[in-house]
Amino acid sequence: MPDEVARFIADHITSVEQLEILLLLRSTPEEEWTARAISESLRTSEQSVSRRLADLESGGLVASRPGSAQRVYQYAPATDALRDGVTNLSSAYTELRYKVLDSIFSNPISNLHVYAEGFRFRKDRDG
């Protein structure tokens, strides 16, 4: 896998779910997506998608705006370097999927996020 792809993953991608969200939005750059629509498309939790979208937005990879009922997101890299990074990542994922996945799972930041998620306190439905 090219070094620039490994660096991009280390700097911007913390999970496979986040990667799949990014690549979904990239595949339809003119379309706006809600977290619910993404979660239905990828068959994952809307709450998890919302967290991943917030991370992608803070990383300059997607943009959002208030929609009629929910916030909508669109693929919108803030710089040409980010756009090129996503293009290279997409190519690598197509050609070397197992190496990209291995890189994500071996990323220390990714591991830290997974570990931290286990300690996140959530309010239960009853109170």
Side-chain angles (χ1 to χ4, degrees), residues 48-66:
S48 181
V49 168
S50 293
R51 286 193 307 269
R52 306 296 181 218
L53 286 167
D55 290 342
L56 290 168
E57 185 173 24
S58 69
L61 295 166
V62 303
S64 73
R65 69 172 184 76

Side-chain angles (χ1 to χ4, degrees), residues 18-122:
Q18 186 185 41
L19 170 64
E20 291 189 356
I21 291 167
L22 178 61
L23 295 180
L24 174 66
L25 294 179
R26 180 182 179 269
S27 72
T28 57
E30 302 301 319
E31 191 171 335
E32 295 180 321
W33 291 79
T34 63
R36 175 174 289 148
I38 293 169
S39 71
E40 289 171 358
S41 177
L42 297 178
R43 298 176 190 235
T44 189
S45 153
E46 184 177 344
Q47 184 179 33
S48 181
V49 168
S50 293
R51 286 193 307 269
R52 306 296 181 218
L53 286 167
D55 290 342
L56 290 168
E57 185 173 24
S58 69
L61 295 166
V62 303
S64 73
R65 69 172 184 76
S68 58
Q70 292 182 326
R71 182 163 289 283
V72 293
Y73 295 85
Q74 189 171 24
Y75 178 68
T79 66
D80 289 338
L82 288 173
R83 185 176 309 280
D84 292 345
V86 175
T87 298
N88 293 336
L89 174 59
S90 178
S91 294
Y93 192 57
T94 299
E95 297 168 15
L96 304 165
R97 183 176 304 255
Y98 70 95
K99 287 189 176 186
V100 170
L101 295 175
D102 186 54
S103 183
I104 292 169
F105 290 127
S106 65
N107 184 350
I109 297 298
S110 176
N111 293 336
L112 183 59
H113 283 286
V114 169
Y115 181 74
E117 277 295 309
F119 292 95
R120 176 174 263 169
F121 291 102
R122 293 183 179 86

